[in-house]
Amino acid sequence: MLEKPLSRIGILSTKGTVLLLCDTQEKFRPTIFQFTNIVSNAARLLQVSEILSIPQILTEHYPKGLGTTVPELGAEGLKLHTKTSFSMMTESVESSLKSLGDPQQVILCGIEAQACIACTTYDLLERGMEVHIVADAVSSRSQTDRLFALSRLKQSGAFLTTTEGVLLQLVQDAKHPNFKEIQKLLAHPSPDTGLLAFFSSLYRASHTPHPADIITSVTRNQHKPLSEPVRVM
């Protein structure tokens, strides 16, 4: 039986993977939906990447206007890449990726979903890289923009995942030498960031019959004998 390549099914590995932390800056604090919880989840991703020796890349978008990275992220020791483009893929970041051996898997989190996260994802996908967007560590000012951006990025080929999903997928086994350290990060569940509405809408969309199908079903049932119950799909 032929096995699918890992890149086709989205299995994360600690090798050839990089964590991208996008624009978690001070001026966004009062306006980004679920900002505190988003940063909390991003901080856990940063911690696990440090434990598992996964390299990290941190950007700030126009810090003169949007301020610096919030301290609770815990990214003080990281090299900072400033930018004005919505995409994180600046010359500076591309140079860093090259120095890391051109990793092919990206774990992506930060702000904002419909802007910098989206543009970064498109650039990465165009380069043939595999993108894992951590949905509960990504947000926008508008929940509508956030949810539609995540849906659009999934259509484009990115994998949607969660903070805890990333942590567990990276270790894969309770016998992993770093599992005890990771387990401490899993002691408390990730805070809710309002994603249930998103997945409820996806479920309804995938299970709602098309109006034309309903009309066809009614038309067919109209010609059934009266002894049979009429069913509307």
Side-chain angles (χ1 to χ4, degrees), residues 83-133:
K83 64 185 181 67
T84 56
S85 64
F86 292 138
S87 175
M88 293 177 73
M89 297 299 284
T90 62
E91 287 185 15
S92 173
V93 169
E94 293 211 46
S95 176
S96 289
L97 289 172
K98 200 170 198 59
S99 70
L100 294 171
D102 289 320
Q104 290 302 298
Q105 286 190 320
V106 174
I107 301 168
L108 178 59
C109 63
I111 295 165
E112 288 187 72
Q114 82 286 3
C116 297
I117 295 295
C119 290
T120 301
T121 299
Y122 297 141
D123 278 353
L124 292 168
L125 291 173
E126 282 188 335
R127 288 163 170 77
M129 299 172 75
E130 183 181 297
V131 184
H132 296 254
I133 300 172

Side-chain angles (χ1 to χ4, degrees), residues 19 21 46 56-60 69 75-82 88 90-97 99:
L19 172 66
L21 301 148
L46 177 55
Q56 314 97 26
I57 291 178
L58 172 72
T59 61
E60 286 181 356
T69 300
E76 292 81 1
L78 297 186
K79 177 183 177 181
L80 177 63
H81 301 265
T82 60
M88 293 177 73
T90 62
E91 287 185 15
S92 173
V93 169
E94 293 211 46
S95 176
S96 289
L97 289 172
S99 70

Side-chain angles (χ1 to χ4, degrees), residues 13-15 17-19 46 48-56 107 170:
S13 169
T14 55
K15 296 179 180 179
T17 298
V18 62
L19 172 66
L46 177 55
V48 75
S49 68
E50 291 172 341
I51 292 169
L52 298 176
S53 300
I54 294 171
Q56 314 97 26
I107 301 168
L170 286 171

Side-chain angles (χ1 to χ4, degrees), residues 209-224:
H210 190 279
D213 295 331
I214 296 176
I215 293 170
T216 301
S217 176
V218 171
T219 303
R220 285 174 179 168
N221 285 322
Q222 284 175 343
H223 297 286
K224 287 185 176 181

Side-chain angles (χ1 to χ4, degrees), residues 3-12 105 130 132 159 169:
E3 294 184 1
K4 290 184 178 180
L6 296 188
S7 60
R8 294 282 186 88
I9 57 179
I11 295 179
L12 278 170
Q105 286 190 320
E130 183 181 297
H132 296 254
F159 292 100
Q169 197 175 127

